[in-house]
């Protein structure tokens, strides 16, 4: 078999047609589990083996870092090496472009990527000038982020907000939700925040998209250059692109038109981050010559699951109907169960997981517990822990977001971007004896244009600085100087990380903490040095910092650990599990109380649809009549989605399968 036909084998006809589509736009619209992601990776491999594209001419864009890593892996397996194919998130692709060309729109390419934590810090600082307290600053931050994702700058903000309000679209409903929380000061706070970012030479995550679009708009020659580099662009989860991502793509593929988009409008769930499902419709307008392929077979789930999900999503009025036929034979189960309270619910799922795993020879990682909001996870965690079931909460802080990792890297950031006073402040506050006032003094002098090491030595000599602070400031100044030389001489990042961690006594301080948590921190710094050593093979400090910044918001996904996965419905996108527990299916939680009408309700339904369709063999949808939240116990009504799925639900008695035994009997028999 030739390499090319090997890539096409194991695909159905429609999938083959999409994978082997030649040049020109291609749109794959299909339901969950139909092999969209599979088509995308096979298409990348096919483009290379058929000789149409060189690997480095391909850009494959996905939604999360994790999905990008997985995609790279799959391509590697198909091709025996990625050989230069870029599989990235939108953010990292834009960052890649900006690092090389941002000077053309007046941005110093040494800019720092301001992560969520630093962003919050800057916002609180800015908001204070407008007499806003931290919660209001956070609300303004959400509005600013939303606006940037819609490509709206501070000047256009008031007009945009006024125009959008009452438009009746999902975007306008979500915008109203975001903007209503933060009062009239937003445009001013927005402008002041952008000023502040400029001062520290920083771009936040949303800016990466915003500025990359500006670059391509203002400099068509630059856009053309990148279109020659990435001649083939493929996008997964296209239904969740926002305006900025959409525009950037358009500008990139305008000329060559070799764009592949795969997605499912029924799975568009990121309206709160300004994702706009209309983009799929616009795709057809912009590329009238596009080939459109529908995939109509579901390989993932048993018919019991697909039929229930299908019934549910048909309740959405704004949608195009799709056919999705399960290829798997009957089997598995799909049930709805009700419980008195969340403890009973949690105990049930812990027991059920143990029983199913033993009975069917499954792994812990074959199970997922999905909920609407993070705050719900605690009860389930407790029940699993009590039974000794290993679990991971996907959503807790991941490696790159850990304090000790960010502390060590902050030293390097200060050197790479001399105006990064956010990192400088962080580093100063780590030093014994140094407090807020001194850190602020240092930051102000650096912002006035002086080198950090010089400022530190100066401030150390000022009257009023204590002895301890003095010696630690001098030591820090020396550390920064050594790091600067090291970076200039292109010393390995691993070596520089180690030096940064040790020279100011940071590691020694961590090591003093003998608690488990303290020891874990020490081990994490060790892991950072190893990660840096790995990166040294291909890049250096700059690449390390980039990777860290982009991944700082990533949650711990448990890696390859054999453990039950607990996560929000949003996080479950694109994944699949043998058994899924969709918990807390109650009015107020699902649909969320803020989104119980209009287009937002339809998005909640899509969210439920995404959750249900993660299940391969078993799906348990559960709800409780009583749930305690914020210390208050409340009576709940079952989610309207249960009925829509076809379950017979009686709020006060029990829930039954469509045609089956009572759940109580079943459980009694099974446990
Ligand atoms: P989602 O909308 O949830 O992202 P998707 O359309 O991207 O789903 P995939 O994740 O690509 O679907 O595929 C779902 C499952 O079906 C995977 O386990 C995949 O390996 C399997 N699959 C897809 N196509 C085929 C096929 N032709 N033969 C056998 N298995 C397939
Ligand atoms: Mg997919």
């Amino acid at each position: 078999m030739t390499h090319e036909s090997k890539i096409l084998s194991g695909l159905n006809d429609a999938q083959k047609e999409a994978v082997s589509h030649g040049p020109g736009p291609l749109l794959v619209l299909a339901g969950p589990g139909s092999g969209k992601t599979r088509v995308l990776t096979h298409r990348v491999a096919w483009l290379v083996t058929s000789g149409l594209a060189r690997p480095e001419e391909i850009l494959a864009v996905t939604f999360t870092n994790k999905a990008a890593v997985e995609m790279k892996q799959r391509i590697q397996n198909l091709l025996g090496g990625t050989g230069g194919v870029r599989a990235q998130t939108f953010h990292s692709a834009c960052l890649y472009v900006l690092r090389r060309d941002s000077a053309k729109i007046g941005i110093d390419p040494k800019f720092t990527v301001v992560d969520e934590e630093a962003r919050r810090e800057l916002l609180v600082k800015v908001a204070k000038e407008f007499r806003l307290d931290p919660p209001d600053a956070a609300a303004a931050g959400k509005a600013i982020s939303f606006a940037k994702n819609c490509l709206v700058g501070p000047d256009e903000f008031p007009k945009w907000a006024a125009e959008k309000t009452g438009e009746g679209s999902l975007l306008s409903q979500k915008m109203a939700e975001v903007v209503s929380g933060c009062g009239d000061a937003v445009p001013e706070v927005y402008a002041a925040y952008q000023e502040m970012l400029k001062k520290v030479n920083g771009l936040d995550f949303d800016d990466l998209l915003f500025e990359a679009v500006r670059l391509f708009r203002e400099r068509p020659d630059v856009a053309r250059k990148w279109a020659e580099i990435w001649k083939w662009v493929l996008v997964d989860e296209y239904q969740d692109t926002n305006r900025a991502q959409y525009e950037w793509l358009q500008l990139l593929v305008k000329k060559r038109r070799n764009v592949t988009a795969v997605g499912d409008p029924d799975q568009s769930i990121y309206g709160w981050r300004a994702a706009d499902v209309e983009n799929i419709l616009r795709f057809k307008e912009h590329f009238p010559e596009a080939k459109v392929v529908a995939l109509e077979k579901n390989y993932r789930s048993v018919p019991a699951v697909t039929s229930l999900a299908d019934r549910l999503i048909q309740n959405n009025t704004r949608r195009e109907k799709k056919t999705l036929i399960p290829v798997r034979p009957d089997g598995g189960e799909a049930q709805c169960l009700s419980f008195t309270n969340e403890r009973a619910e949690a105990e049930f799922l812990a027991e059920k997981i143990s029983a199913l795993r033993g009975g069917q020879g499954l792994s812990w990682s074959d199970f997922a517990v999905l909920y609407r909001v993070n705050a719900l996870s605690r009860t389930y965690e407790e029940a699993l822990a009590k039974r000794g079931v290993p679990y991971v909460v996907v959503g807790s802080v991941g490696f790159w977001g850990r304090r000790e990792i960010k502390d060590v890297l902050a030293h390097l950031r200060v050197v790479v971007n001399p105006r990064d006073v956010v990192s400088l402040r962080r580093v100063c506050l780590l030093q014994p004896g140094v407090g807020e006032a001194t850190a602020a003094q240092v930051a102000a002098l650096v912002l006035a244009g002086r080198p950090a090491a010089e400022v530190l030595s100066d401030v150390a000599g000022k009257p009023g600085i204590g002895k301890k602070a003095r010696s630690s400031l001098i030591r820090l100044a020396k550390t920064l100087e050594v790091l600067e030389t090291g970076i200039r001489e292109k010393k390995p990042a691993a070596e520089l990380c180690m030096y940064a961690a040790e020279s100011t006594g940071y590691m020694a301080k961590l090591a003093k903490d003998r608690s488990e948590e303290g020891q874990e921190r020490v081990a994490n710094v060790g892991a950072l040095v190893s990660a840096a050593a790995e990166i040294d093979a291909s890049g250096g400090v700059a690449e390390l910092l980039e990777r860290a910044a982009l991944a700082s918001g990533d949650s711990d996904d448990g890696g390859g650990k054999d453990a039950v996965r607990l996560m929000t419905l949003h996080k479950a996108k694109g994944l699949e599990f043998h058994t899924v527990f969709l918990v807390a299916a109650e009015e107020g939680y699902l649909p969320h109380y803020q989104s119980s009408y209009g287009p937002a309700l339809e998005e909640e339904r899509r969210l439920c649809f995404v959750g249900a369709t993660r299940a391969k063999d078993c799906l348990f949808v559960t709800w409780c009549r009583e749930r305690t939240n914020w210390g208050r116990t409340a009576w709940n009504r079952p989610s309207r989605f249960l009925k829509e799925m076809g379950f017979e639900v009686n709020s006060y008695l029990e829930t039954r399968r469509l045609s089956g035994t009572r759940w109580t009997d079943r459980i009694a028999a099974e446990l």
Side-chain angles (χ1 to χ4, degrees):
M1 208 191 293
T2 62
H3 210 63
E4 202 182 324
S5 55
K6 203 175 113 204
I7 285 164
L8 294 178
S9 70
L11 297 174
N12 66 36
D13 287 347
Q15 290 174 330
K16 273 185 198 155
E17 193 186 350
V19 166
S20 59
H21 171 67
L26 168 69
L27 179 64
V28 179
L29 282 183
S34 58
K36 294 184 296 300
T37 304
R38 189 166 163 128
V39 161
L40 200 93
T41 46
H42 282 246
R43 177 157 168 76
V44 169
W46 185 84
L47 286 172
V48 174
T49 49
S50 68
L52 268 180
R54 288 204 308 268
E56 62 277 11
E57 291 171 342
I58 300 176
L59 173 69
V61 194
T62 71
F63 227 70
T64 61
N65 290 317
K66 181 169 181 264
V69 170
E70 247 162 48
M71 181 168 284
K72 235 181 245 170
Q73 197 80 48
R74 289 208 209 175
I75 296 169
Q76 214 151 15
N77 292 344
L78 288 167
L79 283 178
T82 54
V85 173
R86 286 201 160 264
Q88 294 185 307
T89 60
F90 274 104
H91 288 95
S92 65
C94 289
L95 175 59
Y96 188 82
V97 168
L98 288 171
R99 279 280 183 235
R100 280 148 192 87
D101 281 327
S102 70
K104 303 203 168 87
I105 47 166
I107 299 170
D108 174 354
K110 289 205 212 83
F111 63 82
T112 298
V113 179
V114 174
D115 68 15
E116 266 314 296
E117 190 187 350
R119 174 175 186 268
R120 231 173 297 138
E121 195 182 309
L122 287 176
L123 271 167
V124 167
K125 202 164 163 185
V126 169
K128 234 187 216 159
E129 289 167 31
F130 295 88
R131 298 211 168 82
L132 297 180
D133 53 14
D136 286 337
K142 270 193 197 149
I144 292 169
S145 171
F146 198 91
K148 282 185 186 175
N149 282 321
C150 294
L151 293 176
V152 173
D155 297 339
E156 299 99 60
F157 189 93
K159 190 163 165 264
W160 168 76
E163 272 174 13
K164 270 259 165 261
T165 307
E167 206 182 56
S169 66
L170 173 67
L171 211 62
S172 86
Q173 196 177 351
K174 290 285 165 191
M175 186 212 65
E177 229 171 70
V178 170
V179 173
S180 70
C182 50
D184 303 334
V186 180
E188 285 87 15
V189 177
Y190 188 178
Y193 169 64
Q194 289 310 107
E195 246 342 278
M196 179 69 113
L197 282 172
K198 215 185 226 170
K199 254 199 229 160
V200 303
N201 190 23
L203 298 187
D204 67 17
F205 282 172
D206 306 315
D207 285 333
L208 294 178
L209 300 174
F210 191 97
E211 297 297 350
V213 171
R214 187 161 75 87
L215 172 67
F216 281 5
R217 273 183 180 166
E218 289 179 12
R219 294 293 302 262
D221 56 322
V222 176
R224 272 197 299 276
K225 181 184 98 181
W226 285 98
E228 284 310 307
I229 295 174
W230 291 321
K231 296 196 172 92
W232 300 82
V233 182
L234 301 95
V235 192
D236 198 3
E237 307 276 6
Y238 189 75
Q239 75 280 356
D240 275 322
T241 49
N242 59 36
R243 183 80 215 173
Q245 291 162 331
Y246 175 81
E247 195 71 25
W248 186 76
L249 267 179
Q250 287 303 320
L251 292 162
L252 183 62
V253 305
K254 202 161 66 180
K255 189 163 145 255
R256 290 201 165 258
R257 307 175 86 77
N258 291 327
V259 56
T260 298
V262 314
D264 176 6
D266 287 335
Q267 294 185 68
S268 171
I269 54 176
Y270 276 89
W272 53 289
R273 285 216 196 130
D276 192 353
V277 68
E278 294 290 315
N279 288 342
I280 286 197
L281 305 176
R282 281 195 207 115
F283 188 96
K284 292 188 200 162
E285 275 166 33
H286 276 270
F287 302 103
E289 79 276 31
K291 176 164 191 70
V292 182
V293 176
L295 308 176
E296 300 189 330
K297 289 183 180 157
N298 182 320
Y299 289 89
R300 178 180 294 145
S301 313
V302 290
V305 171
T306 51
S307 62
L308 157 167
D310 199 40
R311 263 198 297 266
L312 171 73
I313 203 66
Q314 282 183 21
N315 288 279
N316 271 2
T317 52
R318 288 159 239 232
R319 72 180 284 263
E320 280 178 40
K321 279 211 169 65
K322 285 198 297 286
T323 318
L324 199 58
I325 305 151
V327 297
R328 294 189 55 189
D330 279 330
E333 54 183 326
Q335 285 195 60
C336 174
L337 306 165
S338 77
F339 297 90
T340 345
N341 58 34
E342 75 273 18
R343 285 183 305 283
E345 181 195 34
E347 266 163 39
F348 158 76
L349 70 86
E351 279 171 17
K352 188 78 186 169
I353 288 172
S354 302
L356 276 175
R357 175 177 170 269
Q360 302 199 17
L362 301 169
S363 307
W364 295 120
S365 54
D366 284 324
F367 298 88
V369 180
L370 308 180
Y371 35 78
R372 175 68 176 88
V373 289
N374 268 313
L376 287 167
S377 76
R378 196 183 49 85
T379 328
Y380 311 109
E381 287 182 61
E382 280 171 11
L384 292 170
K386 210 163 107 194
R387 284 211 138 233
V389 174
Y391 68 87
V392 192
V393 183
V394 178
S396 49
V397 178
F399 180 78
W400 297 101
R402 299 214 167 102
R403 173 154 57 91
E404 58 279 13
I405 304 301
K406 292 174 83 172
D407 283 347
V408 173
L409 291 180
H411 292 80
L412 299 174
R413 287 193 198 286
V414 172
V415 177
V416 171
N417 172 13
R419 282 194 280 152
D420 184 352
V421 291
V422 179
S423 298
L424 181 59
R425 177 175 167 276
R426 183 177 191 117
V427 173
C428 283
L429 291 174
L430 293 175
Q431 311 309 317
V434 177
E436 280 287 356
T438 312
Q441 204 178 347
V442 171
L445 289 168
V446 168
L447 272 185
R450 294 179 55 199
E454 192 185 301
V455 168
L456 288 166
S457 307
D458 262 20
V459 171
K462 289 211 165 142
I465 297 280
K467 214 167 125 203
K468 202 164 166 193
R470 178 167 303 143
S471 65
S472 41
L473 287 174
I474 291 172
R475 190 170 60 177
L476 179 60
K478 218 175 261 157
T479 301
L480 295 184
E481 273 167 2
V482 173
L483 288 175
E484 214 215 314
T485 317
I487 289 174
R488 199 167 355 102
E489 292 174 355
K490 300 207 170 9
K491 288 247 166 70
E495 202 177 294
L496 296 171
C497 280
M498 194 118 77
Y499 181 78
E502 283 180 350
S503 68
T504 58
Y506 182 73
M507 266 305 251
K509 199 167 75 186
L510 286 187
K512 257 195 216 150
D513 178 356
R514 307 298 306 169
S515 72
E516 200 177 309
E517 198 193 331
Q519 294 310 300
E520 202 178 297
R521 289 189 191 284
V522 173
N524 282 337
V525 176
L528 169 65
V529 175
S530 311
E534 244 169 61
I535 286 172
D536 274 325
S538 57
V541 169
E543 200 175 315
L544 173 70
L545 294 182
E546 219 129 276
R547 160 118 166 250
L550 287 171
S552 65
D554 277 10
S555 48
D556 183 5
D557 62 19
K561 221 191 304 175
D562 186 19
V564 174
R565 300 298 193 267
L566 272 68
M567 68 187 101
T568 60
L569 292 162
H570 282 103
K571 285 247 150 64
K573 182 159 110 156
L575 306 180
E576 55 187 23
F577 301 90
H578 178 278
T579 297
V580 167
F581 294 88
L582 215 170
V583 299
E586 295 136 30
E587 287 292 308
Y589 288 104
L590 187 69
H592 193 264
Y593 70 94
Q594 271 181 338
S595 308
S596 56
Y597 66 96
L601 173 65
E602 300 218 334
E603 179 159 285
E604 294 290 305
R605 196 175 278 118
R606 291 194 289 269
L607 198 50
C608 186
F609 177 74
V610 167
T613 53
R614 301 306 96 199
K616 292 200 262 188
D617 293 82
C618 300
L619 172 67
F620 298 99
V621 191
T622 61
W623 70 278
C624 305
R625 267 159 286 176
E626 210 182 283
R627 188 176 292 277
T628 309
N629 197 15
W630 297 101
R632 266 191 24 232
T633 304
W635 282 85
N636 289 315
R637 279 181 301 125
S639 166
R640 67 192 82 180
F641 299 153
L642 296 177
K643 258 196 189 134
E644 295 176 2
M645 287 183 204
F647 290 116
E648 223 177 78
V649 183
N650 183 333
S651 318
Y652 300 100
L653 298 168
E654 84 276 337
T655 313
R656 280 183 289 172
R657 258 182 108 177
L658 253 187
S659 57
T661 39
R662 281 170 48 168
W663 70 269
T664 35
D665 302 335
R666 277 193 69 109
I667 295 167
E670 274 165 18
L671 292 180

